[in-house]
Amino acid sequence: MVAEQGGPEDQKPQSDEARSAFVPPAGVEQPAAPQEDDHPTSEFSLPAGLHTDPSASSGSGQGSASGAGGGSASDALSSAFVPPSGYNAQQPPAFTPAHGVPMVRLTKEAPWQDRMRTMLRMPVFDRPAPEMVQKTDDSGPAVPRVLDLTLRIGELLLAGGEGAEDVEAAMFAVSRSYGLDRCEPTVTFTLLSISHQPSLVDDPVTASRTVRRRGTDYTRLAAVFQLVDDITTAEHVEVSLEEAYRRLAEIRRNRHPYPGWVLTAAAGVLAGSASVLVGGGVLVFVVAAAGAMLGDRLAWLCAGRGLPEFYQFTAAAMPPAAMGILLTLTHSTDIRPSAVITGGLFALLPGRALVAGVQDGLTGYYLTAGARLLEVMYFFIGIVAGVLLMLYLGVQLGAQLNPEARFVPNDRPVVQILASMTLTLAFAILLQQERSTVLAVTLNGGVAWIIYGAMARTGGISPVAATAVAAGLVGLFGQLLSRYRYTSSLPYITAAIGPLLPGSATYFGLLGVAQNEVDAGLASLSTAVATALAIAIGVNLGSEISRLFMRVPGAVEGPSRRAAKRTRGF
């Protein structure tokens, strides 16, 4: 038997797998077969009828589309990311510019002192990220060695008489140059410490160092400043940790630029020049120089025996006073004993420590300022004790000391100007300054005396006010010269204030106390203290004014060194 064969509509699949699930069932209109295309459309291409041009959806009738889903322009679809045709507002700029966000960067043209002072006044979270100037190994900077190097550099600066603010700036500069962020240096009179905390979750690392010996050597101070400058600016030199340690050891081993006999001769020249400033002649110059040199050798002997500095100053003040007493007992009319004693006091007054102490106080380092001023007070008391001892002895021996003998009339301005410059030159040698800075500081001292003489002698202005103005010019010129040389300002300032020191007021105050004229003596000593403070404040004010003429370091607007704002005493 043969089965009948029906038409196509009578054919049934044998199972569900016999046909595709996507094939329309029988009886449903079959769609037209798609035309074969040799170039198939990408799945990322826009479908027909979707316009991205806003003008295509305008009412002009030019946007009609054909094909599947085609229609008039009003029926055409537009992209959701295309603004309407009537929207003409400017697109707001991106939050992050294409060239990136400008980084807060401190300019390399400014001295490192200004750059580091700027960041020290910033809160920790506002400071820019450290720029690792010096290269280290792949494991990162050796934190203990960097902290130790930083403390050793700060120790040399503080022992050399540098202010607490500049010492902190130097320590901060060294630590940042070797890649240590979040460092906080702390400087007191005898203790240096620095703390480094890598992050908020890491334990901080703190190191400290004690300053036990102090010495005056501005040549060493300048060498340390040069080392810090080379570490912080590596455009011309690269200083590794080993190289920095080697250079620091060389700085420590270097001998002083002037031998001991030159320092003793400089002390004599300083005292002789000071005696000429207060009216002495050639013979007074010689006698004052001899007394100062004898006192200097006596102080060296006391230092070699281990006596504290208080007794060294007491011993150094006694020979000049004794020389003046002997001249009075000889009844010599050609020699002024007061000028001899005053010249000896000029070589002993601690002007450097006084200026540093007042500067620390004005810049907010009150603990260090209090310690420095206490040191100055002890030195001054030692000088007073030595001079008073000789004056009492002279009074008992019948010496006729005249407390009314003041300055001679101003009839030798040229001689006094030359004497002031000679005094400054001798003071620079005593401070162990570099030979390249001696000429500049000598001229600065001569200018200071010219200003003082013009105001106090010729103009009749108060000596204290004239001293403040002259000291301000010294600080201004010294700060500008130091920024030009990228070094410390002390070599250009300290020796230049030598002619302004209140040697004569100190002597006449002590003489009044020795002769039981306490009121006159205290008045003269008050004038000496006021003059000393005027020198210190004037020097600091001149240094601060000099910063007004310099370009503010950094890209941010505002002062280069933020200070605390305190008004009405609270």
Side-chain angles (χ1 to χ4, degrees):
M1 179 184 289
V2 179
E4 274 186 43
Q5 297 180 357
E9 62 277 2
D10 297 332
Q11 296 178 1
K12 303 295 183 183
Q14 300 299 325
S15 63
D16 291 339
E17 289 78 6
R19 62 182 178 85
S20 172
F22 296 98
V23 176
V28 178
E29 182 180 0
Q30 300 290 333
Q35 298 179 359
E36 296 293 335
D37 191 0
D38 295 336
H39 303 283
T41 305
S42 172
E43 61 181 350
F44 297 103
S45 62
L46 296 177
L50 184 62
H51 302 281
T52 59
D53 189 3
S55 61
S57 60
S58 60
S60 60
Q62 298 177 359
S64 61
S66 58
S72 62
S74 59
D75 296 332
L77 298 177
S78 61
S79 174
F81 299 98
V82 178
S85 58
Y87 184 77
N88 296 324
Q90 296 181 355
Q91 185 177 2
F95 180 77
T96 303
H99 52 79
V101 177
M103 183 181 64
V104 178
R105 184 182 181 90
L106 297 175
T107 57
K108 294 294 185 181
E109 291 77 10
W112 61 264
Q113 297 98 313
D114 290 339
R115 291 187 278 119
M116 294 306 113
R117 285 194 189 101
T118 301
M119 283 186 285
L120 280 174
R121 291 297 184 265
M122 291 181 181
V124 177
F125 51 83
D126 287 343
R127 294 172 183 171
E131 304 174 18
M132 187 177 295
V133 179
Q134 303 299 331
K135 295 181 180 180
T136 56
D137 53 9
D138 298 335
S139 60
V143 176
R145 294 195 68 195
V146 172
L147 296 183
D148 180 70
L149 176 66
T150 302
L151 289 173
R152 290 177 182 272
I153 290 177
E155 178 190 8
L156 285 180
L157 293 177
L158 187 62
E162 192 62 67
E165 186 180 29
D166 289 330
V167 175
E168 278 196 2
M171 296 172 63
F172 193 71
V174 173
S175 61
R176 285 182 63 88
S177 299
Y178 286 105
L180 296 188
D181 194 11
R182 306 176 67 89
C183 284
E184 288 296 336
T186 304
V187 176
T188 60
F189 186 60
T190 58
L191 182 65
L192 298 170
S193 64
I194 184 169
S195 178
H196 167 63
Q197 187 175 15
S199 64
L200 294 176
V201 297
D202 293 328
D203 295 333
V205 180
T206 304
S208 61
R209 195 172 183 87
T210 303
V211 180
R212 303 193 181 276
R213 293 190 62 184
R214 300 177 184 273
T216 304
D217 190 344
Y218 283 178
T219 300
R220 177 180 296 176
L221 190 69
V224 177
F225 263 77
Q226 184 61 48
L227 175 60
V228 176
D229 185 67
D230 291 341
I231 291 175
T232 54
T233 56
E235 285 82 0
H236 58 284
V237 64
E238 179 182 344
V239 184
S240 62
L241 282 174
E242 290 74 14
E243 177 67 16
Y245 270 106
R246 185 189 64 80
R247 291 180 57 177
L248 200 60
E250 289 182 355
I251 292 173
R252 286 180 175 273
R253 288 195 303 265
N254 283 345
R255 302 186 61 175
H256 299 302
Y258 307 103
W261 66 270
V262 174
L263 298 181
T264 301
V269 173
L270 190 155
S273 302
S275 65
V276 174
L277 283 180
V278 295
V282 177
L283 189 56
V284 171
F285 179 94
V286 174
V287 175
M293 288 189 291
L294 183 59
D296 182 77
R297 287 293 91 190
L298 189 58
W300 276 100
L301 179 61
C302 294
R305 296 295 181 178
L307 292 178
E309 289 182 306
F310 175 85
Y311 301 105
Q312 297 176 27
F313 274 82
T314 302
M318 294 172 64
M323 299 288 286
I325 297 298
L326 291 177
L327 291 177
T328 305
L329 293 176
T330 58
H331 302 284
S332 176
T333 59
D334 298 332
I335 300 179
R336 294 169 55 89
S338 61
V340 174
I341 301 176
T342 300
L345 292 178
F346 264 88
L348 297 176
L349 292 177
R352 173 181 59 88
L354 176 66
V355 171
V358 174
Q359 181 179 0
D360 288 343
L362 293 176
T363 52
Y365 296 86
Y366 301 113
L367 182 62
T368 307
R372 288 185 188 272
L373 294 178
L374 184 62
E375 181 189 41
V376 171
M377 185 188 71
Y378 273 108
F379 291 165
F380 188 77
I381 291 176
I383 297 171
V384 168
V387 174
L388 279 180
L389 181 61
M390 292 293 102
L391 291 180
Y392 275 119
L393 182 60
V395 170
Q396 296 299 323
L397 294 177
Q400 300 295 324
L401 298 172
N402 184 13
E404 302 297 329
R406 298 290 176 173
F407 291 111
V408 296
N410 186 19
D411 55 354
R412 304 182 306 170
V414 177
V415 174
Q416 291 185 337
I417 292 174
L418 293 177
S420 65
M421 297 177 67
T422 306
L423 187 152
T424 305
L425 175 63
F427 204 172
I429 295 176
L430 284 175
L431 295 174
Q432 304 277 1
Q433 290 190 197
E434 290 182 300
R435 292 175 174 84
S436 60
T437 63
V438 170
L439 178 60
V441 72
T442 301
L443 296 177
N444 201 8
V447 171
W449 182 258
I450 291 174
I451 298 300
Y452 171 80
M455 296 181 64
R457 303 287 184 84
T458 305
I461 302 176
S462 169
V464 176
T467 301
V469 174
L473 290 177
V474 167
L476 175 63
F477 294 153
Q479 197 68 235
L480 294 176
L481 288 172
S482 68
R483 298 311 168 89
Y484 176 74
R485 297 286 299 273
Y486 286 85
T487 184
S488 173
S489 61
L490 290 181
Y492 300 97
I493 292 177
T494 306
I497 65 174
L500 304 177
L501 293 176
S504 59
T506 303
Y507 163 70
F508 288 116
L510 296 178
L511 181 59
V513 173
Q515 294 181 341
N516 293 326
E517 298 179 1
V518 180
D519 293 339
L522 292 180
S524 185
L525 289 177
S526 304
T527 304
V529 172
T531 303
L533 292 178
I535 293 174
I537 295 175
V539 168
N540 180 262
L541 182 60
S543 301
E544 296 296 331
I545 291 176
S546 67
R547 295 189 177 99
L548 300 178
F549 301 98
M550 300 176 185
R551 186 167 57 86
V552 177
V556 295
E557 296 292 336
S560 61
R561 189 173 54 158
R562 299 180 181 180
K565 183 178 181 181
R566 184 179 302 170
T567 55
R568 299 181 182 88
F570 56 82

